[in-house]
Amino acid sequence: MFKPNHLTRFFTLAPFVLMFVSCNALVEDEFPDFESTPVMNGILQADSTLSVQISLAANLSDTMPDFVDNALVVIEDQNQTIDTLRYTDEGWYVSPRIVKAGYNYTCRVNIPGFNTMMAQTTVPLPTEIDSIIFTELAGRGQEGEKISSVVFRLHNNVETEKFWEVRFKKRWFGSLYDWDLENWVERSQVDEAYIFMKAEQDSVLLSEPNPLTVFSNRKMKSDRHWIKFYFSENYFSFGRTDTLFIELQNIDESYYHYHKQYYIYESAGWGGIGTFPQRYPLYSNVTNGLGIFTGMSVTKKNLFSE
């Protein structure tokens, strides 16, 4: 079952999207309960099974969302193929049906006592990557650490709006303790690097709000475009036996907007002395509820040819 771990930290914040915080606000020991609001969260990833999480917006005194286990969750694709998802645990509803790239999906959720929630998404087609250039020493950081860069060329379709997120990972073999076997075992592991991108002279990134690792083709003029990112040896290291690869996530427009707004949501709380940190509402494409229902496909490309 596909559960998008990288979104878990986003989804658990959904109950708080309507609250604002001021440094002059009076802090009380008890807070009034908010009216319960249904929340739908899920990423339909191409070649994975269907899964959607349903919960209710929590109160300030709650440490976890209130998961819903009695909802009717139905997903219909563009061919009017209908699938009723089965409940498992922690609000997750699943189906063995495989998500297809290029398909449109509509999710409807009925929870007793609430209006029907509904959301739609399109699972993007994969994007081809045809060239990669790695520069081990592209510069030095503030502490003199080595900064490396990766440049890759993606294929674009100027006739269609496209959206992407760039990730950089390594696959390696190492020892992990297996609690079931009560022993150390050798197995493949994947680590993700912290990367950053600079707008520099790239007209595409110059028009993008942060984070720049999430971008669109709205300013691309041709069917090919070079993308460059950097990483520091202080935050990511690798050995000769490790497999380095780019993971280009082809995301729906809803996920693009969610990511951009989440950055504002998080950075709004970074204010220093004399500032007034706030929490801005998160983007949602769900009718009669909160959350995000979106789609993606993934393109992977090894850094070095085998």
Side-chain angles (χ1 to χ4, degrees):
M1 177 178 63
F2 173 72
K3 293 185 180 181
N5 293 330
H6 62 285
L7 282 182
T8 301
R9 66 184 186 275
F10 300 161
F11 294 163
T12 55
L13 293 173
F16 306 106
V17 297
L18 301 179
M19 294 186 297
F20 294 84
V21 180
S22 170
C23 61
N24 295 325
L26 177 64
V27 178
E28 300 176 350
D29 292 332
E30 296 183 0
F31 297 89
D33 287 343
F34 293 92
E35 182 179 354
S36 294
T37 302
V39 180
M40 176 200 305
N41 284 309
I43 294 182
L44 304 188
Q45 180 172 318
D47 302 322
S48 296
T49 55
L50 292 170
S51 62
V52 178
Q53 189 181 50
I54 307 300
S55 62
L56 296 177
N59 296 301
L60 282 174
S61 58
D62 296 334
T63 57
M64 290 292 292
D66 186 9
F67 299 122
V68 176
D69 60 5
N70 63 340
L72 176 63
V73 181
V74 176
I75 292 183
E76 180 179 354
D77 66 19
Q78 62 193 41
N79 296 327
Q80 297 182 333
T81 302
I82 299 175
D83 199 345
T84 300
L85 278 61
R86 177 180 60 86
Y87 181 76
T88 55
D89 62 349
E90 296 186 344
W92 284 101
Y93 292 78
V94 302
S95 165
R97 191 165 142 216
I98 301 299
V99 177
K100 297 183 179 181
Y103 271 47
N104 302 319
Y105 292 90
T106 300
C107 183
R108 293 181 176 85
V109 179
N110 287 303
I111 304 173
F114 295 91
N115 293 328
T116 300
M117 276 195 298
M118 188 182 75
Q120 295 178 313
T121 188
T122 299
V123 179
L125 294 170
T127 299
E128 183 180 348
I129 298 174
D130 64 9
S131 299
I132 299 179
I133 301 173
F134 171 65
T135 303
E136 185 173 3
L137 181 58
R140 294 285 180 180
Q142 294 181 349
E143 300 177 357
E145 73 277 14
K146 180 174 62 180
I147 303 296
S148 302
S149 69
V150 177
V151 184
F152 66 95
R153 187 170 65 176
L154 58 78
H155 289 208
N156 176 45
N157 182 352
V158 294
E159 303 297 327
T160 304
E161 279 197 328
K162 298 183 71 68
F163 306 87
W164 299 281
E165 179 179 12
V166 179
R167 294 172 178 264
F168 187 52
K169 299 181 178 182
K170 71 174 179 182
R171 184 180 296 106
W172 58 287
F173 283 90
S175 296
L176 286 177
Y177 190 79
D178 190 313
W179 292 98
D180 294 328
L181 299 176
E182 297 183 349
N183 199 0
W184 290 90
V185 295
E186 292 284 328
R187 65 179 54 170
S188 176
Q189 304 177 62
V190 175
D191 292 340
E192 182 173 349
Y194 168 75
I195 64 173
F196 59 95
M197 293 167 63
K198 302 177 182 179
E200 298 176 326
Q201 301 302 312
D202 188 338
S203 59
V204 173
L205 297 185
L206 284 170
S207 66
E208 287 285 347
N210 286 322
L212 296 182
T213 52
V214 179
F215 58 95
S216 72
N217 70 340
R218 289 169 175 166
K219 295 295 182 178
M220 294 184 185
K221 307 297 185 182
S222 65
D223 60 0
R224 301 288 189 277
H225 193 83
W226 289 95
I227 298 295
K228 186 176 186 178
F229 64 83
Y230 301 86
F231 64 92
S232 166
E233 66 176 342
N234 284 358
Y235 300 103
F236 185 69
S237 60
F238 56 91
R240 291 188 300 174
T241 60
D242 299 337
T243 300
L244 303 178
F245 62 95
I246 296 169
E247 185 176 280
L248 183 64
Q249 296 184 345
N250 312 276
I251 58 177
D252 188 16
E253 183 176 5
S254 58
Y255 190 41
Y256 169 86
H257 290 304
Y258 186 90
H259 243 305
K260 297 295 188 180
Q261 199 157 346
Y262 181 78
Y263 181 87
I264 299 174
Y265 177 87
E266 278 291 276
S267 60
W270 298 345
I273 296 176
T275 63
F276 295 87
Q278 302 180 66
R279 289 299 192 192
Y280 294 90
L282 286 174
Y283 174 86
S284 174
N285 65 340
V286 177
T287 302
N288 294 326
L290 300 173
I292 183 77
F293 178 73
T294 189
M296 72 162 61
S297 62
V298 177
T299 302
K300 296 180 181 180
K301 183 79 171 179
N302 287 352
L303 195 62
F304 306 112
S305 301
E306 298 180 355

